[in-house]
Structure formats: C-alpha cells, structure tokens
Amino acid sequence: MRVLVLMGGDSAERKVSLDSGRAVAKALRTAGHEAVEVDTDFQLKQPSEEITSPPVDRESHQSGASEALVVRRKLALKAFGLSSISPPDVAFLAFHGGLGENGGIQAFLEMAGIPYTGSGILASAIGMDKHISKMIFQQIGVKTPRWLFIDRTEPSGSSHLVNRVGDIIGFPCIVKPNNQGSTIGVSVVEDQGELKSAIELANKYGGGIVVEEYVPGRDLTVAILDQEALPVIEICPKHRIYDYECKYTGGMSEYVVPAKIRDSTEKEIRSQALKVYRALRCEGYGRVDFRFSPDGDLFCLEVNTLPGMTETSLLPKAAKAAGIEFPELVDRIVRLAYVKGSKRGWTLPKGC
C-alpha cells in the first residue's frame, strides 16, 4: 500500500514525532509498503514524487463517488504542499501532541476521505484533555489520582488557589499542562512555595492546568493493539517521575517486560486499560498509563491515543514481548486503518 507518514508539525513534541515517523517509515518499507514521509510543518520543503511515465487520466473512468474521493484526496495533498504525490491508501499518524493528536488532523483526513491510523476525532480530542479523561475514568469506576482543573486565566500565586490546592490535593503534588504529552511542562511540587512557578511553567502550553495528587508507587503501562491488551510494562525511571529526560535519554530508565506483578494484578490492570480505552472510543492502538501504589491500588493517569513509535518505544516493546516485531506491528496498524476506511467507503479504485 501507499502510506503517507505524517509527522513533525509544530507541537512541543515535534522532535519525538519526527523520530517516530522516520522509524515507522523504515519499518513500513521493510514490510513491503511504499512510504512517503511528510513533515507537516508548512514552512518546510516537502518531498515530491518522481514521474517515471506520462500521466494517465484514470479518473474519467471511475464512478461519480470514486471521482469525488480522488478529488478530495488531491485537495488534501495540496494543502500539505504535496500536489505531485499520488493519493495514498492510508495516512500513518506519527504525531505527538498538538493538532496531530487532538482530533484536528483526524477531522481534516476524514473530510478528505483518507483512512488514517489510530483513534477518531472524538477519542483523540478527549485523550489529549486530561481533565475530561479523568472525569470519564471516575464515571466508569476506574480510580485516578485526585485533581483540580485550573483555568489558565486564574492568578498563579493567589492565596485562594494555593489554599485550594493545599486543602483538596495536598503536597507533594503534580502540576501539568492539561493538553500536553511527553511530560512537557510537568513539575513535582513539594510545598506551597513551589506552586506558583510550576503553574506558570504549565501555563505556557495553554489549555488549562491539572494539579494532581502525587501517588507513590510503580509506573505500569498497558499497550493495546486491535482491542487486545499486550503484556504489561513496568517503567523504572532514575527520577521521581517518568519525565522527559527519563523518557528520551538513554540509560535514564529501565523497562521490565513483562512487568513482575502478580497474575491477579496483571489481569486487573489489563481489564482496566481496556475499559478505559473503550470508554474513550479509542481505535486501532493506544496505551494506558497507571500508577501502582504500595497499598496495591491501581490509579489510571491517562490514555495515549498516539503513543511513541520508535523501535524502543513502549508500545513496540510490549508488542515484541507478545511476539510481534516492529515491521509487523506497523503493518497491522496500517491494515486496521485500511479496513476501517473501507467500511466507510474510503477505498480508492486500483490505479489511482
């Protein structure tokens, strides 16, 4: 299949996205697909496709519905500055954060009739909103750390805010942007004196702020592929939390796959992960992160609808533990997207 690998963009997680996109493109080629890498930062020069034979006007031979689909896809490619590239069969979304993960690009691709990997518009938007996600966790009976949502317009150092955090959440606590990933803008706040600067840091990323109870314990994560929970991974960071440095600097974290937990705990965490994943209407693949307290309680932190996709990222690690090598993993993700698109009538006629 012809696969458009969309990556980069202008989010704070741009570098991580580029790493994922390049790894995905390489694996897709290994799996026998034609992969075209596209950085969606519109300021950059985009790749073009060599024309090896005279163009053939195939569109005139298609039905009205097929003609419309071809036109929609060409318009979408034009918007990306890719007018010379033939319409793809599938778009692989290697984004992290921003419009690429919050439903924006998903809506664009749906209007274009291009099948795309991962979750749809609604699940993507909810997954990027930590406050709304946690409300859903609570509604379906899945524990999540206590939290406060703070509007970005609220004064960061007001005594009212400091007292609210102290009374409802307590210290230490976690302060994070409501709609960022990769632990960008996240702080561990030990006392009232550190709260103002932590809120100001999180506020730089917009979308509000979440102040969350700090839960001591172990970091566990469950990757999901096609409605199946993969082996549980335990993350052992060098820092107090699994922050940006621990995620993306070699040697700053260790990973235990599968996690050394009781069978009953493994069964429960996989069940909770699927429950959350389905409640948010996620599709294709994703990852659900938990904190496992010393008392044996599981706390769901968040759902990642477009998790990292380098060979050493968490989802590929879990897949490998289940006997799925990286090229097979990306191939399965692409085929899931293609099947979903086919059900919606988004399959191009051969030759287009």
Side-chain angles (χ1 to χ4, degrees), residues 160-240:
H160 174 65
L161 175 56
V162 172
N163 290 335
R164 280 175 63 207
V165 171
D167 293 343
I168 298 172
I169 306 300
F171 296 95
C173 64
I174 306 293
V175 176
K176 60 179 77 172
N178 185 49
N179 57 0
Q180 275 294 324
S182 291
T183 333
I184 291 172
V186 176
S187 304
V188 179
V189 176
E190 299 291 348
D191 53 44
Q192 292 183 356
E194 297 178 357
L195 187 60
K196 184 176 184 291
S197 60
I199 289 176
E200 289 174 348
L201 173 62
N203 221 358
K204 291 180 179 180
Y205 299 96
I209 300 153
V210 168
V211 180
E212 187 178 71
E213 167 193 15
Y214 174 77
V215 176
R218 301 160 68 183
D219 288 302
L220 302 176
T221 190
V222 182
I224 295 171
L225 176 64
D226 192 19
Q227 300 293 324
E228 178 186 351
L230 299 177
V232 181
I233 297 178
E234 179 173 5
I235 305 156
C236 306
K238 301 294 184 184
H239 293 169
R240 191 170 182 181

Side-chain angles (χ1 to χ4, degrees), residues 89-158:
D89 297 301
V90 171
F92 197 112
L93 305 188
F95 294 112
H96 303 303
L99 286 171
E101 193 170 358
N102 70 4
I105 289 292
Q106 289 80 0
F108 179 82
L109 293 171
E110 293 216 3
M111 288 189 292
I114 299 176
Y116 58 88
T117 57
S119 294
I121 301 168
L122 179 62
S124 299
I126 294 173
M128 279 297 292
D129 191 307
K130 293 176 174 59
H131 174 52
I132 293 178
S133 292
K134 286 167 76 69
M135 291 173 68
I136 293 174
F137 302 164
Q138 211 171 49
Q139 184 67 30
I140 62 174
V142 172
K143 287 183 179 179
T144 188
R146 291 193 313 274
W147 82 100
L148 277 176
F149 175 75
I150 301 171
D151 189 272
R152 64 178 309 192
T153 60
E154 189 166 349
S156 60
S158 71

Side-chain angles (χ1 to χ4, degrees), residues 218 220-221 230-235 255-261 263 266 270 317-318 320-322:
R218 301 160 68 183
L220 302 176
T221 190
L230 299 177
V232 181
I233 297 178
E234 179 173 5
I235 305 156
Y255 305 93
V256 182
V257 194
K260 294 178 181 178
I261 52 179
D263 290 346
E266 180 182 10
R270 293 173 77 168
K317 283 181 185 293
K320 188 169 184 177

Side-chain angles (χ1 to χ4, degrees), residues 15 61 102 136 234 285-286 303 341:
K15 181 182 181 302
H61 301 295
N102 70 4
I136 293 174
E234 179 173 5
Y285 68 108
V303 175

